[in-house]
Amino acid sequence: MAPAAVKVYGWAMSPFVARALLCLEEAGVEYELVPMSRQAGDHLQPDFLARNPFAQVPVLEDGDLTLFESRAIARHVLRKHKPELLVGDGSPEAAAMVDVWLEVEAHQHHAPTAAIMVQCILAPLLGGARDQAVIDENVPKLKKVLEVYEARLSKTKYLAGESVSLADLSHFPMLRYFMETEYKALVEELPHVKAWWEELKVRPAARKVKEFMPVDFGLGKKVDQ
Amino acid sequence: MAPMKLYGWAVSPWMARVLVCLEEAGAEYELVPMSRSGGDHRQPEHLARNPFGEIPVLEDGDLTLYQSRAIARHILRKYKPELLRSDNLQESAMVDVWVDVDAHQLEPIIRPVVFNVIIKPFTGSDCDQDLVDESIEKLKKTLEVYEARLSTSKYLAGDFVSLADLTHFSFMRYFMATQYAEVVEAYPHVKAWWEALLARPSVKKVMAGMPPDFGFGSGNIP
């Protein structure tokens, strides 16, 4: 039976879209990226709302299945094509640790990292000024979170254990941008977090996806489209 | 095998999310009560279990887990995997989608309403009515999506109840105790789905430990 065509809808510089692409690359799945334009409001058009009524990217189409929410998409891709990245050796313990650290990424790591990144990189690109108060509020939060990561990564090579998993991969897209800011020092001052990041970023899948993620989000250059 | 232990305060919606799963699973567990006002979660003994200093925490043999949705998945995987549908690629994907919709679309809207309308009056802070009003407007748009979804399937992930539905209960329980419940009730399929959740024995049992004022009114502050 021929494999169903896999399509991802979105703009690849979005860390959320990149999360989906990273999993497809890790799993070696053939896919088509259907490019969309945020500026043109493609995500607000009826044909896209029919795919994701929450009007957000990415959307993944896998045969009859239409999925949204980037971490749900990630889970599906890996469950189907590379389950060891989702459930480790398949023991309840291994699967549970992947889930814990994926939730930690979503609910502890994401918000302060994104807040700092948005102020440092996106706000100026969109013609505004960085709001230093937002950064100052989030730096101590991220520091505390990363201290937990340092302690964890001093005990295990990767977040969920000795093997890489979705829990690690899920961090790559936002960190790709965050590590271009002066606040990368928060990561670099923690030896185990730094080493973990260095390992993540040289993975072939990460390198591939980074090609679609210019640090200026494609906004800095004036190109005739 | 020693029963699992769940640490925390039962009025917490994160705690209740896990309690519902434990009850659905019919698993043996011991609730180890902790005091939020006493700062139990910031003590070294608890930080050794969860370095983020939060509840709930589950101990299952040698395994110590935190983050309520990770705990929920573990319990169901072990005791009631049909609520995750992991043996079916399409169905498990839909469960994952709607678990994340609750986490990233709905909860961020209803949390500030619950916090401002229920908790703040008890802690002597002013309700941010502008934030509440803005949240209610966002909620209506979000509920339109839920209404459309629940018009085509009985439950969120399909015609079967799953973690996707159960995970919604605990925050909604408090939201539905506010004057804004009528906003949800205006959507007939959402209303019916909510009432079906409330009728589940697991939900009734857990709700009994969740007074609508979080215990503030009776002096049983967590």
Side-chain angles (χ1 to χ4, degrees), chain B residues 122-134:
Chain B
F122 283 114
T123 59
S125 303
D126 291 331
C127 171
D128 183 343
Q129 193 58 46
D130 286 345
L131 178 59
V132 171
D133 294 343
E134 196 185 297

Side-chain angles (χ1 to χ4, degrees), chain A residues 53-54 56 65 67-69 71-72 75-76 79-80 93 95-97 99-101 103-104 107-108 148, chain B residues 51-52 54 63 65-67 69-70 73-74 77 89-90 92-94 96-97 100-101 104-105 142 145:
Chain A
F54 293 104
Q56 292 178 341
L65 203 51
L67 305 177
F68 41 89
E69 297 298 329
R71 293 174 192 83
R75 282 178 179 275
H76 169 71
R79 185 179 291 123
K80 189 172 177 179
E93 294 76 19
M97 292 318 295
D99 286 340
V100 165
W101 285 93
E103 291 295 309
V104 166
H107 297 291
Q108 309 284 357
V148 178
Chain B
F52 293 103
E54 292 176 347
L63 200 53
L65 304 178
Y66 43 89
Q67 300 297 143
R69 293 172 188 85
R73 285 177 181 274
H74 171 71
R77 188 179 293 125
L89 280 174
Q90 320 256 85
S92 55
M94 294 315 295
D96 289 342
V97 165
D100 272 11
V101 166
H104 299 296
Q105 308 291 344
T142 301
V145 179

Side-chain angles (χ1 to χ4, degrees), chain A residues 2-185:
Chain A
V6 173
K7 290 185 183 177
V8 177
Y9 293 78
W11 38 90
M13 64 284 284
S14 150
F16 305 98
V17 175
R19 177 175 286 124
L21 299 180
L22 182 61
C23 290
L24 288 162
E25 292 290 338
E26 284 282 344
V29 175
E30 261 194 61
Y31 64 94
E32 180 195 339
L33 175 64
V34 180
M36 290 172 57
S37 164
R38 189 178 194 281
Q39 282 103 295
D42 287 352
H43 53 308
L44 304 169
Q45 298 308 314
D47 65 335
F48 185 74
L49 294 175
R51 296 184 169 99
N52 183 1
F54 293 104
Q56 292 178 341
V57 296
V59 161
L60 180 112
E61 280 176 356
D62 181 5
D64 289 335
L65 203 51
T66 299
L67 305 177
F68 41 89
E69 297 298 329
S70 65
R71 293 174 192 83
I73 292 172
R75 282 178 179 275
H76 169 71
V77 168
L78 298 179
R79 185 179 291 123
K80 189 172 177 179
H81 298 286
K82 202 139 190 177
E84 60 266 36
L85 291 179
L86 188 57
V87 297
D89 62 9
S91 63
E93 294 76 19
M97 292 318 295
V98 175
D99 286 340
V100 165
W101 285 93
L102 185 54
E103 291 295 309
V104 166
E105 181 274 310
H107 297 291
Q108 309 284 357
H109 185 271
H110 175 85
T113 307
I116 295 167
M117 187 282 281
V118 163
Q119 292 310 316
C120 289
I121 299 182
L122 268 180
L125 280 172
L126 294 171
R130 74 156 66 170
D131 186 339
Q132 192 62 41
V134 170
I135 296 174
D136 293 343
E137 191 190 310
N138 281 281
V139 163
K141 288 180 185 173
L142 183 55
K143 273 189 112 135
K144 283 195 79 175
V145 166
L146 290 176
E147 276 162 23
V148 178
Y149 278 58
E150 180 64 16
R152 174 63 179 171
L153 293 164
S154 307
K155 298 202 201 100
T156 56
K157 183 163 192 216
Y158 292 99
L159 290 170
E162 292 309 311
S163 305
V164 75
S165 74
L166 176 58
D168 309 287
L169 300 175
S170 198
H171 288 77
F172 173 77
M174 192 55 75
L175 278 175
R176 177 269 174 279
Y177 291 113
F178 177 85
M179 293 305 285
E180 301 281 350
T181 75
E182 69 256 42
Y183 296 93
K184 66 182 178 176

